Amino acid sequence: MPGIGAEGSSLPSPAGSLPAPAIGWQRPLRAWLKRGWLGLLVATIMALLVLPPVWTLLQTSFSATQTDLSYGGLTLEHYRSLIQGRNLGNAALNSVTFALLATLVSLCFGGVLAWLVERTDVPMKGLAYVTTIISLGTPYILYVTAWLYLLGRAGPFNDFYRSWIDAEAMPFNVNSLGGMVLIEGFLWSPLVFLMLSATFRAANAEMEEAARMSGASIPQTVWRISMRLAWPAILALALFVFIRNLESFEVPALVGMPGRVDVLTTEIYRSIKEMPPRLGYASAYSVVMLLMVGVLLFAYGRISRHAERYASITGKGYRPRPFRLGRARWLAGCVILFNFLVVLALPLCALLWVAFMPFMRPMRWSAVKFLTTKQFDAVLSSPHYLSLGVNTLVIAVCTATIAMALTVLAGWLAARRQVAGGVIDQLVTVPLVFPGLVLGVALLELSLKSPLPLYGTTWLIMLAFTIRYMPYGMRYAYAGVLQIHPELEQAAGVAGATTGTTLRRIVVPLLWPSIASGWLFIFLICAKEMSLPLLLAGPDSQTISVAMFDLWSNGQGGEVAALGLLWAALMTLFASGFYAIMRRHAAKTFGH
Amino acid sequence: MLNVRGLTKVYANKGDGPSGGVQEASFDLQPATFFTLLGPSGCGKTTTLRCIAGLETPDAGSIRVADTTFFDSAQGVSVPMNLRRIGMVFQSYAIWPHMTVFENVAFPLRVTKGEKLTGAEIGRRVEEALERVSLQGFGGRSATRLSGGQQQRVALARAIVLRPRLLLLDEPLSNLDAALRDEMRNELRRLQQQIGITTVYVTHDQTEALEMSDQIAVMERGRIVQIGAPRDIYFRPANAFVAGFVGTTNWLDGAMGEACGPGIRQFRLGDGRSLQCILGNQQTTGGARISVRPEKVVLRRDGAPAAAAHNRLDGTVVFAGFLGTMNRYQVDIGGSTMQVYDAADAAFTVGERVALDFPVADTVALDG
Ligand SMILES: Nc1ncnc2c1ncn2[C@@H]1O[C@H](COP(=O)(O)OP(=O)(O)O)[C@@H](O)[C@H]1O
Ligand SMILES: [Mg+2]
């Protein structure tokens, strides 16, 4: 008969550990329910959150369109029009080209930067980190507008060309595939830098030294050892960035659409915004994207597992022992400076310039006399923006809180292999296959058909955000639970605590740093995410980034810049304050 | 064969200024010597080894192998590490996971300048190296599918495949479990003798050092404090640190007395009893301590006749433990206790009065 301790990490529940063969099956079932109710509950909630969107998409894409939005008969009509129209092939081709090239740009740029900073004696390493951290907190739409200005008709590059070389020409048309690739590439290179620098830092320096001792020169070592070792990690990262580029909406919408460069996400957006919305058509498109992303994610999972296997047999590197670059050092320093200019300084200058100008004009000394705070005044004095800000904050705070509460439970159940833990683990990853826009379409349809008056409310946006960002919360929670020794919980159980009490008194307090980091992460992306609320927001549930999109579409670039800068500053302040408090709190609890 | 002169490498650590590293290390090795750098963690063994390998550039000193100068700060010579032709086994083994065992071992043959080998020759040399470490037939195996012991053998094969003049090993056994460690210790020594390669071995484990080496250098805080054969190091430690670090020892406090024979001095214990001792090194003077190894002490019944050239102390057994191969005793000799390892059949009981006899030649006086 198994004793209490034989239950592994589960908490002692005497009824659960005593099989009672003679009495029949009710007893074990009841015992199992008693042990597993929490798991079943969480699994049910998860299923209710993530499965209906998938189902709705499928159903809509296979149903004939009805004017009252109810489902018509089964039909392949939407898929047929998808395949027969020229748009799908064109959009898919554009999507893939765009994603591929942008991935290459960010990978080359971010990768070289990461290698220089982590593995060589390049100067100004600190600058690379500062640039990256600041850029990660900035809303994408703000970045995109900055680059649109810089590379656009009135921007300094084209302006320079016109003033000095050819007054009539416009050498660089930003509203093209090239422009999209460049901007998206710069957008993602900070993340690539962060992830690859972790890879290079964790690499075992002895692997390279062993090659040098074997007689290999530096280029031979870099090519035959360093690169090959990092290869699985690079490949996994490339696939990840590729997926995100495929799903990307900001750049295609702001840069591509005006130049009539259509990709899958903008096609979906367009068919939703048409009057009447072509929901079936959009759903069929969405299903195609879902399948693409699903396949890619599967491949990603395989590759990153492979990468981990490489990582797991590297030993303990002692100290970073960077390659000496010698005379190439100053050249490498230029790469760091270039990164600083491109990722931080130039966009920031452009935004400030645009925000302080009454209307878009080239950067010239002669224009300085026009400088004005009009746009800032407009933003700061408008009750409309204030309510938008409050709205966005409420949404972000609620979403982060709900998502973390759910994922702490889910993470604990999964990490401790409790009843339904495995199922929960699977369910939580489902939202990863949804591009933001596709989830938006699914929830839009869901809300139109749901008996509850969800359509156009903030609730709908919160629901969408919660579903979308649960996987991220899960990563924090799961990893956090794994770091807590199971015996700490078992001790509470032996002392007589119930599951609930153990969670409340032991797990949550110990998990607090992970919960706080996850919360902040979700809060920050909710505060800057655009594609979901763009589809789901009603007149009373607008968010800052939607407002920025609308302003930009109306040609009010100055106000976008002013609003965005203020918002980014607020978020940066918020994040740093949050970190400071968290640090103090952690020092109190854990004594270091 | 290997000549190291005044090797100095000091690290400029942030915060606490220059520290760590190695200072003024000098030694000369005959060909085919198994030379061990022994010392506690952080004493500069790895730094010394890495300087020889060329992975670290020394601040001062010179390093020569046979008639080649690898490094000389005075002449400004520094041969890059990939041109030194030295075999090295790293602490983490550093087996490249993206290559097979064969490719790992063949790598040095493929990349070394001036080593233009045909595919067949490479195959032959690799197979020969694998055979030497008893891994014949493992060539096709993926490097990620090896146990710790096998990884270590691959690392060894890779280090010797170029037939280098010098082999460097940095704590190669510390990542293995105890049983495997004993086995590999013997095998490593056998391999070294078979191919007759000069070897510099780094370890913090004194039994490893004593069993395997021809020569040992004991290091303390960046400096070499004694170089000698294992027996010299163990029985004639140059100072208190060496005696304490290499094996266990009994310390007796007191003061040096007058000379009473060639190389023999009088030593007065705190309570007035007097012993004869030899000097650990020539500088030993004044207030000193003497060291007596526990296995050099023999227990006798109280009142048994004293042996010639032996010291005698009286005491009471306070602890007796039977370990199978020997008996371990603690004997109160009036104020302090001495550890004694005695033969397995020498049985004394707790509380018994005993006489402790130990040779004068193993009673070594050392600086406090
Ligand atoms: N790259 C380095 N930078 C700064 N200090 C170092 C570095 N490498 C070693 N040290 C310091 O030098 C001392 C000797 O280190 P090491 O040679 O690795 O010791 P060990 O004898 O354990 O192998 C240590 O105190 C260590 O902290
Ligand atoms: Mg070491």
Side-chain angles (χ1 to χ4, degrees), chain A residues 3-16:
Chain A
I4 288 171
E7 294 263 341
S9 63
S10 75
L11 301 160
S13 50

Side-chain angles (χ1 to χ4, degrees), chain A residues 204-218 220-221 223-229 232 309-311 313-319 321 323-324, chain B residues 13 50 53 55-57 80-83 86-88 90-99 103 107-108 110-113 143-145 151 158 162 168 175:
Chain A
N204 182 359
E206 288 193 348
M207 295 274 179
E208 286 163 357
E209 291 176 348
R212 298 280 283 137
M213 293 304 297
S214 300
S217 61
I218 291 186
Q220 269 177 325
T221 307
W223 178 244
R224 299 185 64 158
I225 305 294
S226 319
M227 276 303 142
R228 301 296 158 86
L229 284 175
R309 215 181 61 217
Y310 266 28
I313 81 159
T314 60
K316 36 189 175 211
Y318 178 39
R319 260 166 236 260
R321 285 183 274 261
F323 285 108
R324 292 193 199 98
Chain B
N13 281 329
R50 293 174 62 82
L55 291 163
E56 218 70 72
T57 312
M81 61 188 119
N82 52 326
L83 304 182
I86 294 177
M88 179 158 179
F90 289 83
Q91 198 169 355
S92 68
Y93 311 142
I95 302 297
W96 302 304
H98 59 299
M99 299 180 184
E103 280 305 320
F107 189 84
R110 294 198 199 281
V111 295
T112 298
K113 283 217 177 73
T144 51
R145 294 203 170 36
Q151 282 188 38
R158 186 175 66 191
L162 268 183
L168 308 180
N175 281 340

Side-chain angles (χ1 to χ4, degrees), chain B residues 212-339:
Chain B
M212 299 169 79
S213 324
D214 299 315
Q215 290 265 315
I216 296 177
V218 184
M219 295 186 71
E220 182 194 9
R221 275 188 274 136
R223 292 181 186 276
I224 294 183
V225 289
Q226 185 175 10
I227 298 185
R231 275 167 212 287
D232 293 339
I233 299 282
Y234 189 79
F235 292 119
R236 304 275 177 276
N239 64 17
F241 170 78
V242 177
F245 185 72
V246 184
T248 36
T249 196
N250 293 298
W251 292 109
L252 300 174
D253 291 319
M256 295 301 277
E258 59 284 4
C260 57
I264 299 179
R265 296 276 288 264
Q266 204 73 25
F267 186 86
R268 216 169 297 287
L269 292 183
D271 53 11
R273 281 181 288 180
S274 120
L275 301 171
Q276 293 187 329
C277 66
I278 61 164
L279 294 183
N281 57 11
Q282 293 317 309
Q283 289 87 37
T284 306
T285 48
R289 300 197 283 172
I290 54 175
S291 143
V292 183
R293 298 280 181 201
E295 66 277 7
K296 285 293 166 190
V297 185
V298 177
L299 292 192
R300 297 186 187 284
R301 305 270 163 225
D302 200 19
H310 274 63
N311 285 309
R312 154 141 322 177
L313 289 171
D314 296 312
T316 314
V317 177
V318 293
F319 172 84
F322 176 60
L323 269 65
T325 51
M326 65 175 184
N327 279 302
R328 195 152 62 93
Y329 296 106
Q330 271 167 12
V331 183
D332 184 352
I333 54 164
S336 57
T337 51
M338 276 181 81
Q339 287 252 19

